[in-house]
Each structure stands twice: as structure tokens, then as C-alpha cells.
């Protein structure tokens, strides 16, 4: 049985109740949109997913210009990481049931 190291425990404690946008996108955007990190339209697919999860809360242009989710926790709204944790749990259930949605991201 694997041992939980002190470093791993601290990492889990720091992440409890939140999921970072970059980690969420790396996990779910390929499954939901069929676009992988580094590919054309990947960032747009991430933004579209954030908009889908936060309807009428934020606009595309705000995310595109102001959120820098690979750099610092202060560069996107604090509520986002909690919302993404809930979405992650929802998608895990939907994936297990075989009803994970498939979305299309269109080029501009």
C-alpha cells in the first residue's frame, strides 16, 4: 500500500475545496471538446467551458483579457476554483454513467 508523504498531504490540504483552472482544463477539455493542451482552439474551449459553468456571471472578453489561470491564484476570481471542483465531481459522475457531453468549439 502506498504511503502518504508529508509533502503529498500538504498538497492535498492546500487543494481541498478547490480545483485550479489549468488542472480542470487539462483533465476535461480533451474529453468534452476533443481539443488538447497546446492545440489550436484549446484556450477558447477552456473559456467556453467556464462560460457554460458560469452563465450570466462573466463574459467571454473578460475571461480572455483578464484571467491568466496558469500563472497565479490572484489572476482569476477566487470563486472559480470552487465552481470547478463541483463541475469536476459532476463530470466524473456523468463520465461513469456514460453520459459525458461532447461539445464543439468553432474557430472565429
Amino acid at each position: 500500500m502506498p504511503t502518504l508523504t508529508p509533502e503529498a498531504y500538504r498538497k492535498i490540504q492546500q487543494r481541498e475545496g478547490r480545483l485550479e483552472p489549468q488542472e480542470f482544463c487539462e483533465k476535461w477539455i480533451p474529453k468534452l471538446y476533443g481539443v488538447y493542451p497546446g492545440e489550436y482552439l484549446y484556450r477558447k474551449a477552456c473559456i467556453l467551458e467556464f462560460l457554460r459553468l458560469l452563465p450570466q456571471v462573466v463574459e467571454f472578453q473578460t475571461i480572455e483579457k483578464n484571467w491568466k489561470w496558469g500563472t497565479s491564484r490572484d489572476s482569476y476570481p477566487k470563486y472559480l476554483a470552487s465552481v470547478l471542483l463541483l463541475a469536476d465531481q459532476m463530470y466524473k459522475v456523468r463520465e461513469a454513467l456514460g453520459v459525458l457531453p461532447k461539445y464543439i468549439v468553432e474557430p472565429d
Side-chain angles (χ1 to χ4, degrees), residues 17-28:
R18 59 185 298 121
L19 181 63
E20 298 301 321
Q22 183 175 355
E23 186 178 358
F24 177 86
C25 286
E26 288 172 358
K27 181 176 183 178
W28 291 110

Side-chain angles (χ1 to χ4, degrees), residues 30 33-45:
Y33 293 85
V35 182
Y36 293 83
E39 289 184 350
Y40 177 64
L41 298 177
Y42 176 76
R43 182 171 169 82
K44 183 176 181 181

Side-chain angles (χ1 to χ4, degrees), residues 11 15 18-30 37 42 46 50 69-70 73 76 81 84-85 88 92:
K11 186 176 181 181
R15 287 189 37 189
R18 59 185 298 121
L19 181 63
E20 298 301 321
Q22 183 175 355
E23 186 178 358
F24 177 86
C25 286
E26 288 172 358
K27 181 176 183 178
W28 291 110
I29 295 304
Y42 176 76
C46 292
F50 297 155
W69 60 81
R73 287 184 176 176
Y76 57 85
L84 295 179
L85 182 65
D88 177 64
K92 284 178 185 176

Side-chain angles (χ1 to χ4, degrees), residues 14-74:
Q14 290 172 347
R15 287 189 37 189
E16 192 171 308
R18 59 185 298 121
L19 181 63
E20 298 301 321
Q22 183 175 355
E23 186 178 358
F24 177 86
C25 286
E26 288 172 358
K27 181 176 183 178
W28 291 110
I29 295 304
K31 295 177 182 182
L32 297 170
Y33 293 85
V35 182
Y36 293 83
E39 289 184 350
Y40 177 64
L41 298 177
Y42 176 76
R43 182 171 169 82
K44 183 176 181 181
C46 292
I47 294 171
L48 291 174
E49 187 60 21
F50 297 155
L51 291 172
R52 187 180 316 285
L53 296 171
L54 299 165
Q56 301 175 351
V57 174
V58 68
E59 295 180 359
F60 187 94
Q61 294 79 12
T62 302
I63 297 172
E64 185 176 44
K65 292 178 183 172
N66 300 322
W67 294 11
K68 305 196 178 17
W69 60 81
T71 57
S72 164
R73 287 184 176 176
D74 295 331

